[in-house]
Amino acid sequence: MKFLIPLLSFFLGNAKSFFGGPSQAITQQVVLRVRAITILAICAIGSLALSCVGLSLLIAKIATQLDSPEGFVWTTGTSVYLGMTLLFVGALVITMLRSTWLSSGGFNPQKEAPRKGGSPIENAIALVVMDFLEERQQRRQKNENRSA
């Protein structure tokens, strides 16, 4: 039972005592990222399991009603099972999004901003022209200093 205490303290947030020295900041960041990814994986597995449970209960409820002489009647239990299934399928979809996993790993997925400067050739020509203009301006200043 004593081997569970370090594991629980790692997942509950007291992992600072395990690591020391100058690498403590890096280790804390790694621990935070691993913890976030672990929690996300647990949420994904849990929502998958609960959506399967909700779906199987819904199917069982519908099957038992179809076997009865009255036929299918929409009941509160059917609504609850359908709601449970839809809720956890939605949670599963949210946890499986690429952006969710990237943000939990510390990567911020950002869309590429459109370039304002144009093509690389245009940028290179603009730099050459600006360099030429700066040289010419410096020559004028030197000539003014000599003549004054």
Side-chain angles (χ1 to χ4, degrees):
M1 193 65 168
K2 289 185 178 181
F3 67 90
L4 289 178
I5 293 172
L7 186 64
L8 287 176
S9 68
F10 175 78
F11 286 112
L12 295 178
N14 296 328
K16 292 189 290 187
S17 62
F18 290 125
F19 309 107
S23 65
Q24 186 173 7
I26 295 172
T27 312
Q28 285 178 352
Q29 289 298 317
V30 169
V31 166
L32 288 175
R33 300 298 179 213
V34 167
R35 189 177 298 142
I37 290 172
T38 305
I39 289 172
L40 189 61
I42 289 171
C43 288
I45 292 169
S47 62
L48 176 66
L50 289 173
S51 64
C52 289
V53 167
L55 184 63
S56 65
L57 289 173
L58 179 66
I59 291 171
K61 185 77 168 177
I62 291 172
T64 56
Q65 285 184 2
L66 291 177
D67 288 341
S68 68
E70 299 99 28
F72 180 72
V73 178
W74 193 265
T75 62
T76 308
T78 310
S79 300
V80 169
Y81 298 146
L82 180 65
M84 179 181 174
T85 303
L86 293 177
L87 176 75
F88 288 113
V89 165
L92 180 65
V93 167
I94 290 172
T95 56
M96 287 293 135
L97 291 176
R98 181 174 180 241
S99 60
T100 306
W101 284 93
L102 287 176
S103 63
S104 71
F107 303 103
N108 292 327
Q110 298 174 355
K111 296 178 182 176
E112 284 188 31
R115 286 196 235 168
K116 296 178 183 175
S119 70
I121 295 174
E122 289 176 359
N123 291 338
I125 292 171
L127 287 174
V128 169
V129 169
M130 291 299 292
D131 189 41
F132 175 74
L133 292 175
E134 286 177 11
E135 275 185 39
R136 193 163 183 203
Q137 190 176 24
Q138 288 174 0
R139 285 184 195 162
R140 283 184 188 165
Q141 288 176 354
K142 286 181 185 178
N143 288 339
E144 287 177 5
N145 290 339
R146 287 183 189 165
S147 63

